[in-house]
Amino acid sequence: MIPLFLTKYLYLLIFCTLLIVILVYYFAGGFFSKDVPPAPSNPVYKDSAVALEERVADLLSHMTLEEKIGQMALVEKNSIQELSDISTYGLGGLLSGFGGRPDSNTPQGWKNMVSTFVLESRSSRLGIPVLYGVDAIHGHTNVPGATVFPHFIGLGASGDAALVERVANATAQEILATGVNWSYSPTYDMPQDIRWGRVYETFSDDPALVSRLGSAYIRGLQENSSEATSTISILATPKHYIGAGGMTWNSSSNENFTIDQGITPADEDTLRKHYLPPFQKAVETGAMSIMAGLNSWGDTKLAASSYLIQTVLKEEVGFKGFVVSDWYGVYEIPGGNYTAAVTAINAGVDMVMLPFDYKGFVSDVRRAVRNGDIPEERINDAVKRILTAKFKLGLFDTSLAVDPTELGSSAHRALAREAVAQSLVLLKNNSKLLPISQSVGTIRVAGNAADNIGKQAGAWTVEWQGIDGNWLPGATSILQGIQEVAPKNTTIEFDAGGNFAFNSAKADLGIAVVGEAPYAEGWGDTPKPAVSEEDMATIQRLRQSSKKVVVILVTGRPLIITDEIRDWDATVVAWLPGSEGAGVADVLFGRKPFTATLPLPWPASIEQLPISEGTTSDGSAVLFPRYFGLRY
Ligand code: BGC
């Protein structure tokens, strides 16, 4: 029991402590600004008839420093502490880190979630709408039921810019249907080392192909087909600027990874000749946002490189859009949070994917401006770039009505099926085993990727690291596709492990569908990408019960198969085809031709890595060169 007179002191103590905390917070420049002007009445920036530049300048002239800094913050939606923080802090962007879903992970659930955030942002003093970003890297695949297109490596194999533009356009429609307005795609990384866990996110290691397909993808996402307007549809973000894909094995700055987030050793000449051209092309095509990578150039984190961002990208290339940093990348710059934010913003990062602590960010950056560590002109320049993109997206002028497109519509699925067929690469075809004869009697299908949509979709599908099994609505597994497309009189038998009754009557053909389990980012870094022992045993069992065997590789990258492929009668690389497995069967049974080629060299051994511009490290010949692909 505390005596009464002590209780009094306790209250006094609590009161004084609270008072001190409030005063310190206020004088240290706590969030609430002392003189926020009232909202302007009938401001020029709200008038859609006024030229874009004028609208941006007008809006900027009304903004307080705090409102400007808020625009530079990009926050993961699960880090928002109070809904009202979106308007209080005037946050510039929100994102769903992959797997950052609404409570009800349905198109309607997404619409409700995003519109709640957008309405909240519009209720701020100046009513600046928030950007909402997702990684729609192979369709709007955060949402179950969306069309899952082949991962970029498959689109790279197709080499078909018109197809890529259509895929991006269909993806844009599915994104729009959920009210989202920004996608962190396409990927411009160029992999030199198949041990990297992000190879499948890339089109190719060839800058010319990346430029061509990347531009097609940007057009497809951004073009606004629904109305005669100069606005863009979905904001595209080529990533990751610059040198990503060329990191050295064992150089990662992340203790869990080996090469992802590592060091790009390329000299400046190589950076400029090899890695820069696709970004130059992206800028010409109309990219309004570019993401800085998590890799380092020498000992400098990309987000800290004023030379690469400010001098090269903005001044030399003439990029007028905004640079967004990647995930927690800014805070990986050494020196603590304050120094990291100052360094990145001064280097030219315009929007910081924090993605967590927006309150700390606003307070640090405001302090930095007051201290003269960040010039106010830099803040104005960053915000001008962000607002320009927002006006260009029509965010200030559109109502919240979202596109009525159905996610996973039959038209989009048909397009995805076409894309799958166009992405398959035929590496080997002894005695013209493929296309499969129309008179084939029995086909035995085996392999743990044959009837597993999670595997064929790969990562960045509902979950960051992907899913296992067949629960994606409306999707077709490769096995189901074979059953659908095979001639009527053909018998299809299936056993994932290839354990068929061993008897003298061998099947006419065995199809083994094997490959990698899903992985994302550095979690997919591996010292030797190969066909697993389990898969090899399955193929072996299938060979014992089938006259000939076709091996279909479901994989995000070339695997080391130099010895193994000798025993296979035919070999097809299906990459990560997505939800429409029937596209594989279309080509196997000759309804469609093989037209795709390898978008990167296929190494014969690990010793050949990295392979830089087609040249192996040990000088030996690769198993298949870039652009190899048999046809029929
Ligand atoms: C990845 C980016 C991605 C971002 C947002 C990061 O981990 O490197 O490519 O856009 O997350 O999800």
Side-chain angles (χ1 to χ4, degrees):
M1 205 49 181
I2 308 170
L4 193 63
F5 73 95
L6 273 185
T7 319
K8 251 196 269 168
Y9 286 119
L10 197 65
Y11 282 134
L12 197 64
L13 191 68
I14 293 172
F15 175 76
C16 291
T17 315
L18 274 176
L19 194 68
I20 290 167
V21 168
I22 290 168
L23 287 177
V24 166
Y25 187 58
Y26 185 76
F27 285 111
F31 178 71
F32 298 102
S33 170
K34 285 149 239 166
D35 352 84
V36 177
S41 58
N42 292 327
V44 168
Y45 74 86
K46 291 209 169 153
D47 182 352
S48 60
V50 171
L52 192 147
E53 296 72 26
E54 223 180 296
R55 296 178 81 184
V56 172
D58 179 62
L59 175 50
L60 206 56
S61 74
H62 295 296
M63 293 172 79
T64 63
L65 176 62
E66 287 77 10
E67 284 167 332
K68 291 176 187 170
I69 298 169
Q71 284 301 302
M72 297 170 70
L74 175 55
V75 185
E76 212 288 326
K77 66 113 187 157
N78 289 327
S79 293
I80 299 294
Q81 291 167 12
E82 301 284 340
L83 182 63
S84 59
D85 283 353
I86 296 171
S87 56
T88 308
Y89 288 84
L91 300 178
L94 299 178
L95 82 146
S96 278
F98 213 88
R101 58 182 75 94
D103 293 338
S104 146
N105 196 4
T106 59
Q108 191 59 45
W110 276 80
K111 270 186 234 180
N112 296 346
M113 174 183 78
V114 179
S115 63
T116 304
F117 291 145
V118 172
L119 285 174
E120 183 58 39
S121 68
R122 287 184 172 191
S123 75
S124 62
R125 186 179 76 94
L126 297 168
I128 307 177
V130 77
L131 284 168
Y132 200 95
V134 294
D135 290 276
I137 60 172
H138 62 147
H140 191 15
T141 53
N142 260 302
V143 193
T147 312
V148 185
F149 292 96
H151 267 291
F152 280 138
I153 194 77
L155 297 183
S158 82
D160 186 336
L163 173 80
V164 169
E165 189 167 337
R166 286 163 64 213
V167 166
N169 201 258
T171 303
Q173 286 169 26
E174 298 204 4
I175 299 172
L176 271 180
T178 56
V180 171
N181 46 35
W182 188 11
S183 174
Y184 307 124
S185 60
T187 308
Y188 274 46
D189 304 345
M190 290 183 273
Q192 300 194 344
D193 194 322
I194 60 163
R195 292 172 291 187
W196 186 33
R198 304 192 78 163
V199 171
Y200 64 87
E201 289 186 54
T202 73
F203 286 118
S204 169
D205 69 331
D206 177 1
L209 184 60
V210 173
S211 297
R212 201 159 59 78
L213 300 187
S215 283
Y217 197 91
I218 292 170
R219 282 196 301 274
L221 269 193
Q222 296 201 158
E223 244 162 40
N224 197 334
S225 49
S226 58
E227 38 183 327
T229 160
S230 60
T231 59
I232 58 176
S233 178
I234 293 291
L235 179 64
T237 299
K239 65 185 187 184
H240 306 83
Y241 182 80
I242 182 176
M247 298 84 62
T248 306
W249 180 248
N250 261 332
S251 73
S252 181
S253 59
N254 182 321
E255 60 180 23
N256 296 309
F257 303 163
T258 325
I259 183 167
D260 191 40
Q261 304 182 11
I263 297 172
T264 303
D267 59 17
E268 182 167 348
D269 197 45
T270 311
L271 268 198
R272 285 178 175 277
K273 287 199 182 121
H274 187 78
Y275 291 98
L276 192 58
F279 286 99
Q280 283 169 318
K281 188 79 187 138
V283 172
E284 277 168 36
T285 308
M288 302 209 61
S289 147
I290 289 178
M291 188 185 291
L294 293 171
N295 55 318
S296 302
W297 187 43
D299 54 11
T300 309
K301 279 274 170 197
L302 244 297
S305 177
S306 162
Y307 179 66
L308 291 175
I309 300 177
Q310 190 60 38
T311 309
V312 176
L313 183 63
K314 291 186 173 172
E315 288 161 25
E316 288 182 31
V317 176
F319 177 56
K320 297 280 183 285
F322 69 91
V323 172
V324 57
S325 59
D326 189 3
W327 202 241
Y328 197 64
V330 161
Y331 292 120
E332 280 160 13
I333 298 170
N337 289 2
Y338 178 89
T339 306
V342 169
T343 309
I345 293 171
N346 283 336
V349 171
D350 302 300
M351 188 181 260
V352 180
M353 199 187 290
L354 294 163
F356 312 115
D357 178 17
Y358 47 98
K359 295 185 183 173
F361 172 77
V362 170
S363 145
D364 282 345
V365 177
R366 187 186 34 216
R367 194 152 55 89
V369 175
R370 287 186 180 157
N371 290 346
D373 288 338
I374 301 177
E376 199 156 351
E377 304 82 72
R378 177 73 268 279
I379 302 287
N380 287 337
D381 172 55
V383 178
K384 185 173 155 193
R385 290 165 180 271
I386 294 163
L387 294 178
T388 302
K390 289 188 173 185
F391 277 108
K392 192 83 186 141
L393 272 164
L395 298 189
F396 288 83
D397 309 320
T398 46
S399 68
L400 278 181
V402 288
D403 194 297
T405 304
E406 187 196 330
L407 269 77
S409 67
S410 51
H412 290 174
R413 289 187 185 281
L415 172 61
R417 180 168 174 170
E418 202 182 318
V420 172
Q422 289 200 49
S423 69
L424 302 182
V425 180
L426 183 58
L427 292 182
K428 181 175 178 184
N429 194 18
N430 274 5
S431 332
K432 297 212 160 100
L433 184 58
L434 299 176
I436 299 168
S437 154
Q438 289 299 304
S439 58
V440 64
T442 304
I443 297 177
R444 286 183 171 152
V445 181
N448 60 20
D451 194 29
N452 189 323
I453 286 152
K455 273 209 164 126
Q456 72 191 40
W460 302 92
T461 309
V462 185
E463 299 291 345
W464 181 41
Q465 296 293 326
I467 51 177
D468 196 22
N470 281 341
W471 58 270
L472 216 53
T476 307
S477 72
I478 294 175
L479 172 70
Q480 288 167 326
I482 291 173
Q483 286 162 336
E484 178 193 320
V485 175
K488 292 247 160 343
N489 297 329
T490 303
T491 305
I492 310 284
E493 295 173 9
F494 170 64
D495 185 85
N499 294 303
F500 296 99
F502 185 59
N503 56 34
S504 52
K506 286 189 172 185
D508 297 315
L509 183 66
I511 302 179
V513 190
V514 296
E516 295 188 301
Y519 52 80
E521 302 192 29
W523 299 109
D525 292 352
T526 180
K528 188 175 177 193
V531 178
S532 70
E533 280 178 20
E534 181 202 334
D535 284 345
M536 285 306 296
T538 301
I539 297 170
Q540 190 51 31
R541 283 191 286 273
L542 187 64
R543 282 171 58 79
Q544 286 165 0
S545 67
S546 311
K547 292 180 194 154
K548 303 271 179 192
V549 170
V550 180
V551 174
I552 298 180
L553 297 173
V554 172
T555 177
R557 54 185 153 198
L559 304 171
I560 302 299
I561 52 168
T562 312
D563 296 331
E564 294 82 347
I565 196 173
R566 291 197 192 105
D567 294 333
W568 304 341
D569 300 297
T571 308
V572 175
V573 190
W575 310 111
L576 300 171
S579 57
E580 305 315 306
V584 175
D586 287 338
V587 183
L588 292 183
F589 289 96
R591 282 191 181 181
K592 294 262 172 71
F594 273 104
T595 52
T597 61
L598 292 176
L600 75 175
W602 192 289
S605 69
I606 291 300
E607 289 64 42
Q608 295 181 334
L609 302 172
I611 302 177
S612 170
E613 292 172 64
T615 309
T616 55
S617 285
D618 66 2
S620 60
V622 292
L623 190 60
F624 300 103
R626 186 209 283 151
Y627 297 131
F628 177 86
L630 302 173
R631 293 181 175 234
Y632 58 67

